[in-house]
Amino acid sequence: MIHSPLRHSDKFSQRNLPTNIDNFNPYVLFAWQRMCELLTKNIEIADEVDTEKLREMIPDIKQVMFMRANQIQKKLTAIFSKCGIAFRIVPNFTGAPVQGFIKKTEDGVLILCMTLRQKFADIFWFTLFHEIAHILNGDTKHEFIDFDSVSGEVESKADSMAGEFLIDSKAYKKFVAAEGYKRASEIKRFASTQNVKDYIVQGRLMKEEIIPWKARPRYEWA
């Protein structure tokens, strides 16, 4: 994911925006960014961002993926609010190929917005934990927009942390070495030991080309 810092003084300017993203329109992107700000404006949150609490809440956030799809946003909003973060899942638009958005407003409020652009459940959760990693790593001094490409040390660090939050790397290596991925029942069993849905394990196996790509759950509510 490429993070692109945006400043109000650069409005409608492409000076700090990516030039290698397909179907990218800076006007649509800024409109989408403004929508994120408005949709999170009235969310009640704790007075300060508490990164320690956010880290402690990782198991609770993982547990949300077991809830019905129409309950996910409400529960995540409540969890992030306790950590001093205004969270919202925002519709995406053609011209703004965005996965996530982090910004500290002029009032000092940290907002975190997600889209369902690709709609795959495993991508949504990985992206969410990627954004959490950025917050925990202190990568939020500027406004950041996550596009689809991956680039740079900061992004790689966030990716690694997100992967570790979801699946313990040592346990995953043992699972792969034992070829448990060849049986759906073993994938489901391993996923339960990591407190994730089986599609999280399947998504990682597919990304690493250990198993072939196949249909997986999608989210459609935003």
Side-chain angles (χ1 to χ4, degrees), residues 84-102:
I85 300 167
F87 173 83
R88 187 69 185 260
I89 298 172
V90 180
N92 65 284
F93 301 102
T94 301
V98 176
Q99 299 274 77
F101 175 49
I102 303 173

Side-chain angles (χ1 to χ4, degrees), residues 21 25 39 68 80 83 88 100-103 121 126 144 160 184 207:
I21 303 295
N25 184 313
L39 290 175
R68 292 196 298 270
F80 281 109
C83 303
R88 187 69 185 260
F101 175 49
I102 303 173
K103 175 187 177 179
F126 182 83
F144 284 105
S160 296
K207 181 176 176 58

Side-chain angles (χ1 to χ4, degrees), residues 16-154:
N16 285 323
L17 298 179
T19 58
N20 60 340
I21 303 295
D22 293 334
N23 301 318
F24 169 70
N25 184 313
Y27 295 91
V28 176
L29 179 62
F30 281 116
W32 180 85
Q33 175 191 350
R34 181 57 179 158
M35 185 168 67
C36 289
E37 295 169 355
L38 292 173
L39 290 175
T40 55
K41 190 174 182 62
N42 295 320
I43 296 177
E44 294 186 6
I45 61 174
D47 292 338
E48 296 182 354
V49 176
D50 189 337
T51 55
E52 287 304 314
K53 181 179 286 291
L54 178 59
R55 190 181 292 274
E56 292 172 0
M57 296 294 282
I58 294 297
D60 299 82
I61 296 172
K62 290 176 69 172
Q63 193 63 34
V64 177
M65 71 176 69
F66 292 89
M67 299 178 70
R68 292 196 298 270
N70 61 1
Q71 298 177 322
I72 288 176
Q73 177 166 235
K74 182 178 180 180
K75 184 60 176 178
L76 288 177
T77 299
I79 291 174
F80 281 109
S81 294
K82 294 178 182 178
C83 303
I85 300 167
F87 173 83
R88 187 69 185 260
I89 298 172
V90 180
N92 65 284
F93 301 102
T94 301
V98 176
Q99 299 274 77
F101 175 49
I102 303 173
K103 175 187 177 179
K104 181 164 283 190
T105 69
E106 294 178 356
D107 297 331
V109 175
L110 186 65
I111 68 174
L112 167 58
C113 291
M114 296 280 297
T115 70
L116 298 178
R117 181 171 176 268
Q118 297 188 39
K119 297 187 178 181
F120 291 112
D122 60 310
I123 291 179
F124 170 83
W125 288 104
F126 182 83
T127 303
L128 178 63
F129 281 102
H130 176 99
E131 302 303 331
I132 290 172
H134 278 302
I135 294 172
L136 295 177
N137 290 337
D139 302 331
T140 56
K141 295 179 181 179
H142 303 287
E143 301 171 27
F144 284 105
I145 292 187
D146 255 329
F147 295 92
D148 293 335
S149 303
V150 178
S151 176
E153 183 178 347
V154 171

Side-chain angles (χ1 to χ4, degrees), residues 56-67 79 125 129 162-168 171 187-201:
E56 292 172 0
M57 296 294 282
I58 294 297
D60 299 82
I61 296 172
K62 290 176 69 172
Q63 193 63 34
V64 177
M65 71 176 69
F66 292 89
M67 299 178 70
I79 291 174
W125 288 104
F129 281 102
E164 195 69 31
F165 283 147
L166 288 165
I167 303 174
D168 177 75
I187 291 177
K188 188 172 183 178
R189 183 201 63 78
F190 176 69
S192 69
T193 68
Q194 302 300 304
N195 193 31
V196 296
K197 297 284 286 184
D198 54 357
Y199 59 71
I200 297 293
V201 178

